[in-house]
Amino acid sequence: MKGMLWWPLDSLWRNLVQSTRTGCTPVSRPPPPPDPGSRSAKGRSTAHTAEDSTKAKVPKYTYVGLDELEPGSVVNVYGVVVFFKQPFKSRGTDFCSILKITDKSNQKIGCTIFRQNLEDHPKIFQIGDIVRMHRVKAQFFNNAITLVNTFGFSVVTFDGVVGNAVEPRTSSRSFHFDQDDHRIVEELRSWAADGQTILPPTSTIPLSAVQPRAYFDLTCQLLSKAPIDTTCTLLKVWDGTRCPQTMLDVIVEPNVTEGPTSFSKEKEKLIANVLVYDNHVHVAGQLKPGDFLRIFNLRAILGSSQVPGLTSSQSEATDHLALHLHGGTAYGRGIRVLPENSPDVQKLKRTLDALSENNVDEFCELNDSELLRISITLPNSMELNGEAVKCSTERRCLHDVQPVNLAKVKQSDPGRIHHVRVQLRSYEPSRLYQSLKLYCSKCTLMEEIPDDELIAALFSDASKDSGPCSPPPWSLSGQVSVPGEAQGSANRALTVYMSSQLLSEGKFKDLLFLMGSTLEEMCRLATGYQNIVPVRPAGGQLTLLDLSAPFLFRGRRRYYGCKRCSEASVKELSAKGVEAIDQKVVAEALGIQLLQFVLLMKLELQDESDTLDVLLWRDAEKFFGVTADDVAADQEAQSVIHRTMDTLCPPEGSAADRPWLDLCLQSYRAEDNKGRNRTCYQIVHTSVTKPASTPPDPGPT
């Protein structure tokens, strides 16, 4: 019998990394490692070509210059940020962001954004950042054109510094971004940098440059925090430099402090006490020790007469400096948590990594220029007690094989297991959110996660259907009220259907069928119900939406079905004998073949002998220590992957900065759609480990 047909590495990857341009790509899962003492099972599966798969439509967006805006038009725009306020609570249920942008026309346009969730607002960290906004409405207000968000609004933000990575900042799981977008961002960066536009001067300074009565922005790390009273919270922060003024020491009870309650005498000299007031107290309550922050519009004040909760002895310290973040949002005042992959955070971490407890005394004796030189020349890997802290991997298999170099791996026959010690030279996709895929275990189809904008369009089309619809005989219908999307707009009443059986059991929130909603409305309702299935009328009957859209919403999680293998229809779900209704129960009841979230990456490995391209797929969850389901819905799980890859392959590091990895590789034979056989490789039975400290690694011997 002929062996199983597999896609080769290069052909498989070429089809998978083309995002929505390629639609769906079928693949086959490589065989399991051979079991010593048993015969390999033989079988056959058919590999479908990419041309056979259904191609998703790729939206093509047109962008309007800021000098071409017309009142009443709904447009897509790019702009360089010249002013912004962090999101603040509006009088209604939404948060409000205010920003002003410009482009090559030098036209400055104000923008007002209302969104219920903070994560849906622009992630702006500093003046000069670049924003892309889809579906904003131009309107005339106070004798000037302004932009406001409207139905289907989405926003992506980019670092505005020339030379930095073009890494989109957004809460969307997927979105449209191609080479044209990359070109626009780079052009705006260059235009803003060459003096053709007048950007406000940066107000971000280190603690070493703070002067009394100054207003400034501070990039720092939070060490601990404690409430002073209901209107004030204390944040203890540092940035690795020492303020020339003596800082006010605010004493609080240890039992109310979150984080360390004491520090060494010399480290205390590097710590600043920041007092935040009023509306910022709520934001401070969400912060965690260890977070990297940018605090906007801090004020340095000599004396302590304005500091609540001080003892009489502390109140006499009139020549000590206190940092205040006053209430309100004037001048962009606020706090923003910076992601760890931010260039500013990477620079700050290199400075702080040098200040380990053993040498902080020595650093405190250095002047600021010496500190700056040290922070610039430090490698990206941490140092602890003079020893390198490396992120390595551990093989978790029982194979009794000796480690070999990559040249020997390439010379070996396929179907074998290899143990290697290598470094990670590069990886794809560079935008790590693209590594998340949808996979059908039945037909081996693998496809991209649909763009939020494509899903919103499907919901919009379905919401326009208004023909008569007969509810299923097993259902009861009703209405649910959803707040309007625009500030001050009236609520909308949407039709819902539910199982009479579940209703009689008091499980009315366990499963709803919702008709006529937008994607935004669906996401709002999903927070209050366990399972919501979007439906539309068709031929007088209820039917599911096109399976390009999720068939089920469970909180922040969305679930998709395979178009090839599903025989979908709206049916009653029988909860008899079911402890909990989850995605598997709903999919089975609706005749849907559930797609799995999987992680897929291509890694280029190197050692002293050669390089080798391998896939990380089957055991990707074991490798990172997170599930693909969590990566699809949880920001922290996504951050785990970002941090891991930054450590294994530092963005700006040399080969010496990269740790050596002990990996288990599986080789297998693959045949592409042209009938060519290739040997391919994947990482198996390996997970990332982070030891507390290890001696400097000499590499393979």
Side-chain angles (χ1 to χ4, degrees):
M1 290 181 64
K2 187 178 180 181
M4 302 184 75
L5 305 183
W6 308 110
W7 282 76
L9 176 65
D10 54 351
S11 176
L12 170 61
W13 185 254
R14 187 168 57 253
N15 284 288
L16 289 174
V17 298
Q18 292 181 5
S19 189
T20 53
R21 289 197 293 274
T22 57
C24 308
T25 303
V27 300
S28 295
R29 183 182 291 274
D35 181 11
S38 65
R39 299 183 60 185
S40 301
K42 295 185 178 181
R44 190 180 185 88
S45 66
T46 302
H48 303 280
T49 66
E51 288 76 16
D52 293 335
S53 62
T54 304
K55 294 185 178 293
K57 293 182 179 179
V58 178
K60 185 68 177 177
Y61 298 99
T62 302
Y63 297 94
V64 175
L66 298 182
D67 59 340
E68 301 172 349
L69 299 175
E70 297 181 1
S73 60
V74 177
V75 296
N76 308 318
V77 298
Y78 266 95
V80 181
V81 176
V82 297
F83 171 79
F84 67 100
K85 287 186 178 183
Q86 296 299 328
F88 58 90
K89 192 70 174 176
S90 68
R91 294 180 181 177
T93 59
D94 291 343
F95 288 89
C96 176
S97 286
I98 295 175
L99 58 148
K100 184 173 286 187
I101 60 176
T102 188
D103 63 6
K104 295 179 182 180
S105 69
N106 272 323
Q107 193 80 16
K108 292 181 173 60
I109 300 295
C111 311
T112 305
I113 298 167
F114 288 97
R115 304 291 282 177
Q116 189 173 32
N117 298 319
L118 279 172
E119 57 266 25
D120 294 333
H121 284 259
K123 292 174 170 52
I124 302 172
F125 299 152
Q126 62 187 358
I127 299 297
D129 279 355
I130 295 169
V131 295
R132 184 192 79 180
M133 294 187 287
H134 283 183
R135 288 175 292 278
V136 286
K137 185 175 183 179
Q139 61 183 26
F140 207 68
F141 180 73
N142 282 349
N143 298 318
I145 290 286
T146 63
L147 294 173
V148 297
N149 60 301
T150 185
F151 169 74
F153 167 81
S154 69
V155 61
V156 182
T157 314
F158 306 89
D159 191 308
V161 178
V162 174
N164 283 354
V166 181
E167 188 71 28
R169 305 173 195 152
T170 177
S171 62
S172 298
R173 298 177 185 85
S174 57
F175 52 90
H176 182 76
F177 184 81
D178 58 20
Q179 290 302 315
D180 287 338
D181 294 280
H182 194 284
R183 174 184 53 79
I184 293 173
V185 172
E186 293 287 18
E187 288 178 354
L188 283 174
R189 282 177 168 182
S190 299
W191 171 77
D194 66 11
Q196 296 185 41
T197 183
I198 301 176
L199 293 179
T202 178
S203 55
T204 302
I205 61 174
L207 288 172
S208 59
V210 172
Q211 295 296 323
R213 296 182 295 278
Y215 286 93
F216 64 99
D217 300 342
L218 178 66
T219 303
C220 57
Q221 185 182 33
L222 177 64
L223 297 175
S224 63
K225 64 176 186 177
I228 299 296
D229 58 25
T230 58
T231 64
C232 179
T233 295
L234 169 68
L235 305 180
K236 284 185 173 289
V237 303
W238 71 334
D239 69 354
T241 68
R242 182 174 176 178
C243 182
Q245 301 285 333
T246 303
M247 301 296 295
L248 182 70
D249 186 17
V250 183
I251 300 174
V252 295
E253 293 295 330
N255 60 347
V256 300
T257 300
E258 183 176 347
T261 57
S262 63
F263 304 90
S264 69
K265 181 179 178 181
E266 294 303 327
K267 189 171 184 178
E268 285 282 3
K269 297 177 181 179
L270 303 176
I271 296 175
N273 292 306
V274 177
L275 294 144
V276 304
Y277 298 90
D278 301 335
N279 56 300
H280 307 298
V281 170
H282 173 73
V283 178
Q286 311 301 313
L287 304 178
K288 300 296 182 185
D291 284 347
F292 292 95
L293 312 176
R294 179 160 290 145
I295 308 176
F296 300 92
N297 199 235
L298 265 178
R299 189 182 184 193
I301 301 177
L302 276 176
S304 56
S305 59
Q306 298 186 39
V307 180
L310 296 184
T311 65
S312 57
S313 60
Q314 290 174 286
S315 300
E316 296 173 358
T318 56
D319 60 338
H320 290 190
L321 196 68
L323 304 182
H324 296 255
L325 183 67
H326 298 300
T329 59
Y331 307 103
R333 195 173 297 140
I335 306 173
R336 166 69 79 172
V337 177
L338 299 178
E340 292 207 12
N341 61 353
S342 161
D344 290 330
V345 169
Q346 294 300 315
K347 180 180 178 181
L348 175 59
K349 287 175 71 175
R350 288 194 290 271
T351 300
L352 299 181
D353 288 347
L355 301 176
S356 62
E357 289 292 344
N358 280 358
N359 57 14
V360 70
D361 294 4
E362 177 185 344
F363 271 76
C364 286
E365 299 303 320
L366 298 176
N367 60 40
D368 295 325
S369 61
E370 290 171 323
L371 274 175
L372 184 59
R373 279 201 305 274
I374 292 172
S375 69
I376 291 174
T377 57
L378 277 175
N380 284 335
S381 59
M382 291 180 57
E383 290 188 5
L384 181 64
N385 298 332
E387 297 181 344
V389 176
K390 295 291 188 179
C391 179
S392 61
T393 56
E394 180 182 356
R395 290 188 294 264
R396 299 185 181 276
C397 60
L398 300 177
H399 304 115
D400 186 16
V401 296
Q402 292 298 314
V404 295
N405 61 30
L406 293 181
K408 291 285 184 65
V409 172
K410 285 186 171 182
Q411 296 168 6
S412 301
D413 294 330
R416 294 190 176 186
I417 290 293
H418 304 279
H419 287 178
V420 297
R421 196 168 204 219
V422 296
Q423 290 176 305
L424 178 57
R425 184 176 183 180
S426 65
Y427 61 88
E428 295 180 33
S430 58
R431 294 194 287 271
L432 289 173
Y433 64 86
Q434 292 181 340
S435 63
L436 193 64
K437 312 289 182 183
L438 292 170
Y439 173 73
C440 179
S441 59
K442 186 173 183 181
C443 69
T444 70
L445 186 75
M446 186 174 284
E447 60 183 278
E448 302 294 332
I449 298 175
D451 192 301
D452 265 11
E453 293 160 357
L454 177 63
I455 298 173
L458 292 172
F459 270 78
S460 179
D461 290 343
S463 67
K464 295 173 184 176
D465 294 335
S466 57
C469 179
S470 300
W474 47 264
S475 70
L476 296 173
S477 62
Q479 289 190 330
V480 62
S481 179
V482 182
E485 294 185 1
Q487 183 74 6
S489 60
N491 291 358
R492 283 219 314 151
L494 301 176
T495 301
V496 296
Y497 300 89
M498 61 194 77
S499 165
S500 56
Q501 176 188 342
L502 293 179
L503 188 64
S504 66
E505 297 174 0
K507 301 179 180 179
F508 64 93
K509 284 193 173 185
D510 284 16
L511 179 63
L512 287 182
F513 295 88
L514 180 65
M515 185 168 67
S517 78
T518 65
L519 176 60
E520 175 74 18
E521 291 167 337
M522 172 63 78
C523 292
R524 291 187 188 184
L525 285 175
T527 61
Y529 295 88
Q530 303 232 355
N531 301 279
I532 303 185
V533 177
V535 293
R536 66 188 299 176
Q541 303 294 324
L542 278 185
T543 185
L544 299 174
L545 270 61
D546 185 288
L547 287 182
S548 296
F551 75 90
L552 176 65
F553 287 76
R554 288 172 52 83
R556 289 180 57 85
R557 299 178 186 267
R558 306 175 185 182
Y559 295 93
Y560 298 83
C562 178
K563 289 185 177 181
R564 290 187 176 186
C565 303
S566 299
E567 298 179 1
S569 62
V570 178
K571 302 174 185 176
E572 182 177 18
L573 184 148
S574 175
K576 186 176 181 180
V578 176
E579 292 185 5
I581 299 175
D582 59 14
Q583 66 274 12
K584 295 180 181 179
V585 173
V586 175
E588 182 178 358
L590 300 180
I592 290 176
Q593 175 64 37
L594 185 66
L595 291 178
Q596 303 170 3
F597 288 105
V598 296
L599 293 164
L600 173 65
M601 300 183 70
K602 173 187 172 184
L603 310 183
E604 183 185 10
L605 309 179
Q606 67 178 10
D607 64 8
E608 75 287 349
S609 68
D610 209 336
T611 63
L612 182 68
D613 288 339
V614 302
L615 285 181
L616 177 59
W617 174 34
R618 193 191 75 180
D619 285 354
E621 293 184 345
K622 181 187 297 183
F623 185 85
F624 290 111
V626 295
T627 67
D629 275 354
D630 286 341
V631 174
D634 182 63
Q635 184 66 46
E636 178 55 33
Q638 297 165 21
S639 297
V640 167
I641 294 182
H642 276 280
R643 290 195 296 267
T644 300
M645 298 310 297
D646 282 348
T647 308
L648 300 183
C649 189
E652 300 175 356
S654 65
D657 296 324
R658 298 169 190 160
W660 288 90
L661 313 176
D662 293 322
L663 303 178
C664 180
L665 299 183
Q666 176 192 14
S667 64
Y668 58 95
R669 203 68 173 163
E671 183 177 292
D672 63 15
N673 57 344
K674 294 184 179 180
R676 296 176 301 189
N677 285 313
R678 303 285 296 275
T679 299
C680 300
Y681 306 88
Q682 69 162 334
I683 297 173
V684 294
H685 306 302
T686 306
S687 59
V688 172
T689 59
K690 296 181 180 178
S693 65
T694 58
D697 196 338
T701 56

